[in-house]
């Protein structure tokens, strides 16, 4: 998925219409119980490796996506699995995974998980990649992951970020929360985070960003921002900022971009009302003369030269003595 991609629901990904009123409940009523069995597990096993016990070998990869599974109790005996895909099923309870303490990679997208509280995430001390996208999460309670480097929670109904602290997620470098119900950027105490994707939320305020000291990518497309107040000089590593499709109407609302002068290289600002009211590329280059791309178009030498000339003129005006006449 590229930085500028729009998050799609499972129905949109499949080219299907979203269910009409009353249809979703009917579909849930029609879900049949398909518990996991040994034959299904055997079909999904691959990647034979040594277990570390002399000459013992075991399969460490298990693919169980799109099996209409409602429970996975039978998986408990496969303790050597390291890569597990359970996406596109009807699973709500992950507790049978508790014995699988060797997990490195876990995908549970498009299931029926309503909460992470009580799930066995604390058992996965080696887990580095976790995706629980397109489920029914409303909060992050119960989320733990000291070794997680990539965490994907897109397409849920999360309204508030809490518990994402460096002490518990010190290795987290990529976090995706696209398509949730966030209204603010507060709650991210993750100084080691590199990439943060928050597109398609309801974000109106930029808050708490001073804690994201190593962030290189901030993706805020299709939110409700009217101002960029909240951007801060502590974000000294930020290179890519996407604010496409927000509600910025005035050039003055862009002034906070000056705080990113030392790092920002690429800015995406299309589909904001401000781009139709001012010559926004020259205005942005005056604020950020070091930019290499605006809306994915390379800044030309002519544009850069004109911006530098405008900066000199503005500086001269500010330094000119004030006449007493």
């Amino acid at each position: 998925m590229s930085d500028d991609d729009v998050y799609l629901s499972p129905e949109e990904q499949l080219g299907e219409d979203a269910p009409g009123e009353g249809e979703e409940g009917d579909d849930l009523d029609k879900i049949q119980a398909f518990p996991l069995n040994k034959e299904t597990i055997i079909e999904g096993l691959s990647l034979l490796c040594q277990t570390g016990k002399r000459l013992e070998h075991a399969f460490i990869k298990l693919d169980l996506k799109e099996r209409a599974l409602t429970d996975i109790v039978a998986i408990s005996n496969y303790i050597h699995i390291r890569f597990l895909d359970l996406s596109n099923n009807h699973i709500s309870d992950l507790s049978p995974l508790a014995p699988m303490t060797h997990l490195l990679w876990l995908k549970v997208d498009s299931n029926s998980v309503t909460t992470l509280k009580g799930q066995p995430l604390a058992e996965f001390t080696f887990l580095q990649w976790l995706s629980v996208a397109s489920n029914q999460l409303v909060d992050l309670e119960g989320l733990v992951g000291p070794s997680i480097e990539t965490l994907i929670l897109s397409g849920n109904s999360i309204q508030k970020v809490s518990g994402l602290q460096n002490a518990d997620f010190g290795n987290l470098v990529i976090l995706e929360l696209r398509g949730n119900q966030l209204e603010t950027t507060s709650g991210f105490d993750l100084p080691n985070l590199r990439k943060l994707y928050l597109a398609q939320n309801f974000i109106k305020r930029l808050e708490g960003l001073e804690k994201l000291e190593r962030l290189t990518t901030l993706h805020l497309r299709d939110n409700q921002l009217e101002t960029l107040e909240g951007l801060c000089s502590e974000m000294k590593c930020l290179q890519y900022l996407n604010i496409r499709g927000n509600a910025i109407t005035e050039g003055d609302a862009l002034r906070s971009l000056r705080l990113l002068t030392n790092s920002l290289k690429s800015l995406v600002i299309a589909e904001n009302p401000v781009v139709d009211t001012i010559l926004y590329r020259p205005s942005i280059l005056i604020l950020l003369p070091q930019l290499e791309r605006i809306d994915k178009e390379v800044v030309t030498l002519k544009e850069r030269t004109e911006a530098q000339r405008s900066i000199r003129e503005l500086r001269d005006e500010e330094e000119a003595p004030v006449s007493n006449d």
Side-chain angles (χ1 to χ4, degrees):
M1 183 178 289
S2 69
D3 286 341
D4 203 31
D5 283 342
V6 177
Y7 181 81
L8 298 179
S9 68
E11 294 82 6
E12 291 170 321
Q13 294 177 30
L14 296 171
E16 300 172 354
D17 294 331
E21 186 175 353
E23 293 179 14
E24 185 176 356
D26 294 341
D27 289 342
L28 291 175
D29 291 339
K30 294 177 183 178
I31 292 176
Q32 299 179 7
F34 284 98
L36 186 60
N37 56 46
K38 186 175 180 179
E39 291 73 20
T40 302
I41 292 175
I42 291 174
E43 290 176 6
L45 288 171
S46 63
L47 198 56
L48 189 64
C49 291
Q50 283 185 298
T51 64
K53 295 182 178 180
R54 296 185 180 181
L55 298 178
E56 184 180 84
H57 285 68
F59 290 104
I60 64 169
K61 184 176 181 180
L62 180 54
D63 185 345
L64 294 173
K65 63 177 179 291
E66 299 177 358
R67 301 292 184 128
L69 299 175
T70 51
D71 78 67
I72 51 174
V73 173
I75 207 171
S76 299
N77 294 325
Y78 294 81
I79 61 173
H80 296 295
I81 297 299
R82 299 177 191 172
F83 305 93
L84 177 59
D85 190 346
L86 293 169
S87 54
N88 294 93
N89 285 289
H90 309 295
I91 301 164
S92 59
D93 181 16
L94 303 178
S95 60
L97 302 183
M100 304 173 72
T101 56
H102 296 285
L103 276 174
L104 300 175
W105 190 97
L106 176 60
K107 186 175 184 180
V108 199
D109 294 0
S110 300
N111 275 281
S112 303
V113 179
T114 59
T115 180
L116 297 176
K117 186 178 181 181
Q119 306 288 7
L121 295 179
E123 307 299 325
F124 310 144
T125 55
F126 303 109
L127 190 66
Q128 299 174 16
W129 192 97
L130 173 63
S131 182
V132 196
S134 299
N135 276 267
Q136 301 169 27
L137 300 176
V138 296
D139 58 45
L140 301 181
E141 187 176 2
L143 180 62
V144 292
S147 298
I148 293 179
E149 298 177 1
T150 298
L151 176 60
I152 303 172
L153 298 167
S154 300
N156 284 282
S157 300
I158 299 167
Q159 300 176 10
K160 182 180 179 181
V161 172
S162 61
L164 284 180
Q165 300 176 354
N166 189 54
D168 299 317
F169 294 89
N171 290 313
L172 189 61
V173 294
I174 300 175
L175 175 58
E176 293 203 22
L177 280 159
R178 306 174 192 248
N180 279 278
Q181 297 180 17
L182 302 177
E183 294 186 0
T184 174
T185 57
S186 67
F188 300 100
D189 187 2
L190 299 166
N192 293 322
L193 194 68
R194 303 294 198 278
K195 297 184 178 183
L196 178 58
Y197 299 94
L198 299 173
Q200 292 185 301
N201 278 277
F202 302 95
I203 296 173
K204 302 174 183 178
R205 302 180 304 281
L206 299 180
E207 301 172 310
L209 298 178
E210 65 277 359
K211 298 178 181 179
L212 303 177
E213 298 174 1
R214 297 186 182 179
L215 198 69
T216 62
T217 296
L218 179 56
H219 196 286
L220 291 160
R221 178 177 177 174
D222 294 334
N223 277 284
Q224 299 177 10
L225 293 172
E226 297 181 1
T227 176
L228 296 180
E229 290 183 11
L231 294 178
C232 52
S233 57
E234 287 85 352
M235 304 173 74
K236 51 185 179 292
C237 296
L238 191 66
Q239 298 180 18
Y240 178 92
L241 175 62
N242 191 323
I243 50 173
R244 180 175 181 173
N246 276 269
I248 299 171
T249 59
E250 299 179 0
D252 286 347
L254 303 176
R255 288 184 177 179
S256 296
L257 289 171
R258 289 180 176 176
L259 299 171
L260 306 176
T261 299
N262 294 327
S263 62
L264 201 66
K265 296 180 179 179
S266 182
L267 175 68
V268 182
I269 193 174
E271 298 178 19
N272 277 276
V274 69
V275 304
D276 297 321
T277 60
I278 64 171
L279 296 173
Y280 74 100
R281 287 180 70 91
S283 299
I284 288 171
L285 282 173
I286 291 173
L287 295 171
L288 295 169
Q290 83 290 350
L291 274 184
E292 297 175 2
R293 291 178 180 269
I294 301 175
D295 288 339
K296 298 193 175 182
E297 293 185 9
V298 175
V299 174
T300 65
L301 179 59
K302 181 179 179 181
E303 286 180 312
R304 196 176 304 282
T305 302
E306 286 294 318
Q308 291 172 348
R309 182 182 62 80
S310 298
I311 291 171
R312 287 194 299 269
E313 291 177 353
L314 289 171
R315 186 180 297 120
D316 291 343
E317 289 179 5
E318 292 175 356
E319 295 177 352
V322 178
S323 174
N324 294 323
D325 296 338

